[in-house]
Amino acid sequence: MAEILIIKCLNDNYAYIYLNDKKEAFVVDPSEASPVIDTLEKNDLQLKYILNTHHHFDHIGGNFELKEKYNCKIVGSKKDRDRIPGIDIEISDGDYWSFKEHTAQIIEIPGHTSGHIAFFFKSLNAVFTGDTLFSLGCGRLFEGTPTMMWNSLKKLRALPDQTKIYCGHEYTFSNAKFAKHIDPNNKLLDEAIVEIKNKREKGLPTIPFELGTEKKINPFLRADDQKFIDSIIKALVRFFKAEWSGAFVAIFILAIAIEFSTSGRPLSLIHI
């Protein structure tokens, strides 16, 4: 039976193995080889491809060992051809990459890195987003700008609501604290937090998560919601007073400002 297996790697990374009925598989973002090999051997799988969303070592660290052991091919962004060692298949925005009966649409989503891509498998209702979109959060800006990140998030937000998001890290519980600070009256978020706590207490992953719900509770997907923006300024004051890192806040505020300035709509400010 075809399925997607979640592989815990390093401290909080996730790699993902897709396997079909013929025991053929690909792996997404193997940060280390050992847990991937263990899963492949346990399930008697044939690894055919490695898919990389971006070049950071905690997403490609297992590439060489897996390629040497299984003679599989590495698939990654053409823009990262010099940063993903051993890359065999170079892909770009709008391309399609097929694995047997399933085809992925390649979506460029720069911001975290300049060459970041997502693999959207419509037939699987699944998208692998690397470090761009997390449950209740988004990735840090290492090489891109807030505008780039916001445009990338909007691309992902436009996917079908039933799409399952497979991201690169287990950051959900900490992200939930931030989301609750700036959106304290969101009942759907409260329900999600209860579920998140239950899963983490049992040692279960909070991934995947469904895009339709995420659009209603992830603050980084709501930067063009005027009502939400009007309420967020006061909430941010509470956030800063709690002495949290301002990194996510800065990204979010800049994204909002850019979106509204470029669209010609005024950014309303609340006196505090």
Side-chain angles (χ1 to χ4, degrees):
M1 185 175 110
E3 61 180 313
I4 297 173
L5 305 177
I6 302 174
I7 315 299
K8 190 179 184 305
C9 299
L10 301 177
N11 182 43
D12 53 31
N13 278 77
Y14 286 132
Y16 302 100
I17 292 178
Y18 168 78
L19 61 133
N20 62 19
D21 294 336
K22 297 180 179 179
K23 297 283 189 175
E24 299 166 315
F26 65 75
V27 62
V28 182
D29 287 350
S31 53
E32 55 179 335
S34 179
V36 175
I37 292 173
D38 288 346
T39 302
L40 291 170
E41 300 295 321
K42 179 181 178 181
N43 292 278
D44 192 28
L45 303 178
Q46 307 168 49
L47 184 63
K48 299 296 186 180
Y49 294 96
I50 297 170
L51 277 54
N52 291 139
T53 60
H54 62 295
H55 74 281
H56 284 168
F57 187 74
D58 65 328
H59 290 256
I60 67 169
N63 279 15
F64 271 144
E65 186 175 346
L66 292 171
K67 184 174 183 177
E68 182 176 352
K69 183 175 179 64
Y70 297 102
N71 194 31
C72 54
K73 294 187 180 298
I74 298 173
V75 183
S77 171
K78 184 177 182 179
K79 292 181 178 179
D80 277 343
R81 60 166 57 162
D82 297 323
R83 305 199 292 184
I84 298 179
I87 189 170
D88 299 292
I89 301 172
E90 300 174 4
I91 48 181
S92 302
D93 188 52
D95 286 348
Y96 290 88
W97 178 82
S98 294
F99 182 76
K100 305 302 177 179
E101 68 272 27
H102 297 294
T103 297
Q105 176 187 350
I106 308 307
I107 307 172
E108 287 189 356
I109 47 172
H112 182 66
T113 66
S114 59
H116 205 303
I117 58 175
F119 295 85
F120 171 50
F121 290 87
K122 186 175 182 179
S123 57
L124 295 173
N125 284 327
V127 61
F128 299 95
T129 61
D131 287 357
T132 296
L133 177 62
F134 297 117
S135 176
L136 298 176
C138 74
R140 294 174 61 189
L141 299 183
F142 286 107
E143 299 173 3
T145 65
T147 301
M148 292 167 67
M149 176 60 85
W150 176 229
N151 287 335
S152 294
L153 292 174
K154 287 193 292 184
K155 286 183 180 180
L156 295 173
R157 189 180 65 175
L159 296 176
D161 283 353
Q162 66 269 26
T163 304
K164 300 291 187 181
I165 312 295
Y166 292 84
C167 60
H169 294 267
E170 182 58 71
Y171 290 159
T172 310
F173 188 72
S174 59
N175 287 345
K177 296 178 182 179
F178 171 81
K180 179 63 176 175
H181 267 286
I182 63 174
D183 196 11
N185 301 314
N186 190 327
K187 293 183 179 180
L188 190 59
L189 174 60
D190 290 339
E191 294 173 5
I193 291 174
V194 171
E195 183 178 354
I196 289 163
K197 287 181 178 179
N198 288 338
K199 286 183 176 180
R200 296 311 295 155
E201 287 173 357
K202 296 176 182 177
L204 299 175
T206 61
I207 316 302
F209 52 97
E210 192 171 89
L211 180 60
T213 300
E214 194 70 10
K215 287 160 61 173
K216 300 175 183 178
I217 61 177
N218 187 329
F220 294 90
L221 295 179
R222 301 170 64 199
D224 53 359
D225 182 334
Q226 182 65 57
K227 184 177 180 180
F228 180 56
I229 291 168
D230 287 345
S231 68
I232 199 173
I233 304 300
K234 286 183 178 179
L236 285 173
V237 173
R238 293 195 301 271
F239 188 77
F240 280 119
K241 286 181 177 178
E243 297 184 354
W244 275 58
S245 167
F248 284 144
V249 177
I251 294 171
F252 189 51
I253 293 291
L254 286 172
I256 293 171
I258 290 168
E259 169 66 14
F260 278 77
S261 64
T262 55
S263 68
R265 296 167 60 191
L267 177 62
S268 63
L269 296 179
I270 299 175
H271 295 290
I272 53 178

